[in-house]
Amino acid sequence: MFQWLRQLGARKAKGATTPRGRLLVVRGKYDAAQTTPENRRHWANADHLSADAAMGADVRRVLRSRARYEVANNSYAKGIVLTLANYVVGTGPRLQMLTEDAEANRLIEQEFMRWARAVSLAHKLRTMRIAQCESGECFGLLTSNPRIAAPVQLDLRLIEADQVSTPFGVLPPEERAVDGIVFDGFGNPIAYYVLRRHPGDQRAWRAGPDDYNLMPVESVVHLFRAERPAQSRGIPEVTSSLSLFATLRRYTLAVLGAAEQAALPSGVIYTDAPADAESAAVEPMDTVEMDRGTWMTMPYGWKIGQVKAEQPTTVYGDFKHEVINEIARCLNMPFNIAAGNSSGYNYASGRLDHQAFFKAIRVDQNFLGDMVLDRLLKAWLDEAVLIEGYLPQWLRQLGIDLPHQWFWDGFEHVDPQKEAGAQATRLQSNTTTLAAEYAKAGLDWESELHQRARELALMRELGLTTQTPTPQAAPNEANRQEDEDDVTEDVDARALA
């Protein structure tokens, strides 16, 4: 094949033709690849930089500072970031062990959750998710903390991305580092340079060239989302919407300023006389005080009126709606959640928009489990096996890998009755399992069934009824459409009110 291509190139260079007399020319053309006077300025900043070069330390520093500023000063940005963290982490993950030893499973689950509460794991995970959104990444150091009220003294200490940086002049030439992260020849991170103080700390100016710690990869948790191959550091997830946040705030303040300026004067005194006319009793640009609730007369040729307020315009709400919708799109968040307003939604459109959002939430939860929780469980087990009599003897081996899974908070359904009916139908048709249905609610099916059995036993002992209500079957398509129309009418009525 390569010989044929070489011959083809030689013939093209000599102007060779095919047996039919046509010149062998292969061409491909894309309009988006053409540079024209119309699109030259639009594509002026497009480059061919690698991921790490395009996201250099200076670029990420600027993006982090601007994203943090918007989140701190823009209520929509603050609400979007907090809502995302609350949806992803919720009240925190729950561990379920899947070994053959039920007693060992129960003990590990109980003790790990005890440790998680002692170190405020759920709160730290929410902080990490917020940092990933507004700063692009977050680092956690696995350290020992003797003040933790649990047998295992492991702790997760969070640091900002600014604190992981390569100190000037400390790397040997043969080492490869990307702004604080040292990689081996295969592209695996092997160590992290962690500054002992945040660069923005008031005491950081006293830091010398040796004011850092070189942390091994086993002691560092790095949470970020790689959007390009070979990307080593993260950028804020709201980067593409930072200019929109600024636009939204500027427009809101401009509308408010125009409305205030129109509302400040109580009235305007004006005349039809020319500007060079003889001066009358009222001078131009003078202010006249008027008593409340009284009538007054004006000099000859002068009239009194009010400034007509032109702001906000009728498209003010529509403009803010579109901007917020575009902002939230980069986070896969529907408009009603980003804006905290579902007045224009009906039942069907609300569920449709939430499906994509909930899918993104499940992806985030799975990513948190792989990158953070599994690392924490492994480190916790490595320390727990060293404590005499704490875990069963067969578990006491370093580096043990035990089957497990993580449960997160479930999502509340808009119509619980419809969901219960659909759930009953799935169970009756054997298209789902109790484990799957309980997992959707963030619950452990074995624990819930044991709890339900204890409740039923106590109810029988007390002579209470134990009849289990049967959920109604899922409505057919016609009834479902009627219900959705009713919901739509209710929403429209509330909007009009």
Side-chain angles (χ1 to χ4, degrees):
M1 178 178 179
F2 293 105
Q3 181 67 22
W4 177 83
L5 287 175
R6 284 194 293 268
Q7 294 175 356
L8 177 62
R11 284 190 292 173
K12 286 178 61 178
K14 297 178 181 179
T17 59
T18 63
R20 296 184 181 181
R22 291 179 298 179
L23 185 65
L24 289 174
V25 179
V26 180
R27 292 178 179 175
K29 186 173 182 180
Y30 294 90
D31 290 342
Q34 308 304 313
T35 301
T36 64
E38 289 79 14
N39 67 11
R40 187 184 304 276
R41 295 180 61 185
H42 180 80
W43 301 112
N45 293 327
D47 55 52
H48 303 282
L49 297 176
S50 67
D52 289 338
M55 305 172 193
D58 294 336
V59 174
R60 287 185 290 104
R61 187 180 301 112
V62 173
L63 291 177
R64 285 196 302 262
S65 62
R66 293 179 179 178
R68 291 168 183 167
Y69 177 84
E70 285 299 330
V71 171
N73 293 276
N74 190 311
S75 60
Y76 281 112
K78 186 77 169 182
I80 287 173
V81 171
L82 290 178
T83 299
L84 181 62
N86 291 336
Y87 264 98
V88 173
V89 180
T91 59
R94 270 85 63 188
L95 172 65
Q96 183 187 41
M97 301 302 299
L98 302 175
T99 70
E100 299 296 331
D101 190 338
E103 184 60 26
N105 291 344
R106 184 197 61 79
L107 177 62
I108 295 176
E109 293 168 3
Q110 176 182 331
E111 291 302 311
F112 183 84
M113 296 310 297
R114 174 187 172 187
W115 169 83
R117 288 190 294 269
V119 300
S120 301
L121 180 60
H123 175 69
K124 291 181 178 180
L125 289 176
R126 286 191 293 268
T127 302
M128 294 184 75
R129 190 62 188 89
I130 291 174
Q132 181 186 354
C133 187
E134 71 173 9
S135 300
E137 55 190 347
C138 183
F139 292 86
L141 305 182
L142 302 180
T143 62
S144 180
N145 187 349
R147 303 194 58 143
I148 292 178
V152 175
Q153 304 294 297
L154 176 70
D155 195 7
L156 178 66
R157 183 166 67 90
L158 303 183
I159 60 174
E160 286 194 309
D162 312 66
Q163 207 164 337
V164 177
S165 178
T166 304
F168 178 74
V170 301
L171 277 179
E174 64 273 9
E175 287 188 316
R176 176 181 180 269
V178 178
D179 196 20
I181 307 179
V182 183
F183 294 87
D184 61 13
F186 300 97
N188 303 309
I190 57 176
Y192 295 82
Y193 285 96
V194 180
L195 303 181
R196 293 175 184 171
R197 290 189 177 90
H198 192 287
D201 195 329
Q202 295 180 353
R203 299 168 296 176
W205 64 272
R206 293 180 294 181
D210 59 343
D211 199 15
Y212 65 90
N213 294 320
L214 184 60
M215 307 290 294
V217 66
E218 293 79 12
S219 300
V220 180
V221 175
H222 184 195
L223 179 66
F224 80 105
R225 184 178 67 188
E227 299 178 350
R228 294 179 59 180
Q231 179 179 339
S232 304
R233 301 290 297 261
I235 61 172
E237 294 181 341
V238 294
T239 295
S240 59
S241 61
L242 284 178
S243 59
L244 295 176
F245 279 123
T247 300
L248 184 64
R249 282 207 301 154
R250 285 203 315 271
Y251 180 60
T252 302
L253 294 176
V255 170
L256 177 62
E260 287 179 341
Q261 290 298 323
L264 282 177
S266 300
V268 178
I269 301 174
Y270 62 96
T271 180
D272 295 331
D276 56 351
E278 187 175 340
S279 177
V282 180
E283 293 292 335
M285 306 307 293
D286 276 354
T287 58
V288 179
E289 295 185 3
M290 295 183 293
D291 294 332
R292 245 178 114 180
T294 61
W295 292 82
M296 67 179 300
T297 60
M298 298 300 300
Y300 176 76
W302 292 83
K303 303 175 184 178
I304 189 171
Q306 285 185 309
V307 177
K308 184 179 179 181
E310 302 289 345
Q311 297 289 345
T313 62
T314 55
V315 298
Y316 174 72
D318 295 335
F319 177 78
K320 295 191 70 171
H321 179 288
E322 293 304 318
V323 173
I324 295 172
N325 193 29
E326 187 174 351
I327 287 173
R329 188 65 193 93
C330 66
L331 298 174
N332 293 311
M333 183 179 292
F335 165 79
N336 66 325
I337 294 181
N341 183 4
S342 300
S343 60
Y345 276 69
N346 58 30
Y347 175 79
S349 62
R351 288 204 65 186
L352 184 62
D353 283 0
H354 288 180
Q355 285 179 359
F357 179 55
F358 291 158
K359 182 69 173 179
I361 294 300
R362 287 192 293 270
V363 172
D364 273 351
Q365 290 172 345
N366 185 72
F367 186 67
L368 267 178
D370 293 340
M371 300 300 297
V372 181
L373 296 178
D374 287 351
R375 292 279 308 277
L376 289 177
L377 178 61
K378 182 181 182 302
W380 184 88
L381 286 172
D382 287 345
E383 186 171 339
V385 298
L386 300 178
I387 303 176
E388 187 67 32
Y390 187 48
L391 296 180
Q393 189 63 33
W394 69 272
L395 287 174
R396 300 193 62 188
Q397 47 183 313
L398 289 176
I400 186 171
D401 186 15
L402 300 177
H404 63 278
Q405 62 181 351
W406 301 98
F407 287 113
W408 304 83
D409 291 346
F411 303 119
E412 293 81 6
H413 200 275
V414 177
D415 192 331
Q417 183 176 358
K418 289 183 178 179
E419 177 63 15
Q423 187 181 75
T425 302
R426 290 194 297 267
L427 288 171
Q428 291 174 1
S429 61
N430 296 320
T431 55
T432 188
T433 62
L434 284 174
E437 296 300 326
Y438 276 111
K440 291 179 182 178
L443 301 173
D444 181 355
W445 68 280
E446 293 180 335
S447 300
E448 297 303 315
L449 289 182
H450 282 301
Q451 176 63 27
R452 184 56 178 162
R454 288 194 295 269
E455 292 175 355
L456 293 176
L458 181 58
M459 292 174 68
R460 286 192 295 267
E461 179 182 345
L462 298 177
L464 301 176
T465 178
T466 59
Q467 181 178 0
T468 303
T470 303
Q472 298 180 0
N476 56 32
E477 188 63 31
N479 294 336
R480 185 183 296 110
Q481 185 62 41
E482 292 177 0
D483 294 341
E484 293 173 359
D485 293 342
D486 293 341
V487 173
T488 305
E489 293 174 1
D490 293 341
V491 171
D492 293 342
R494 288 196 299 269
L496 292 175

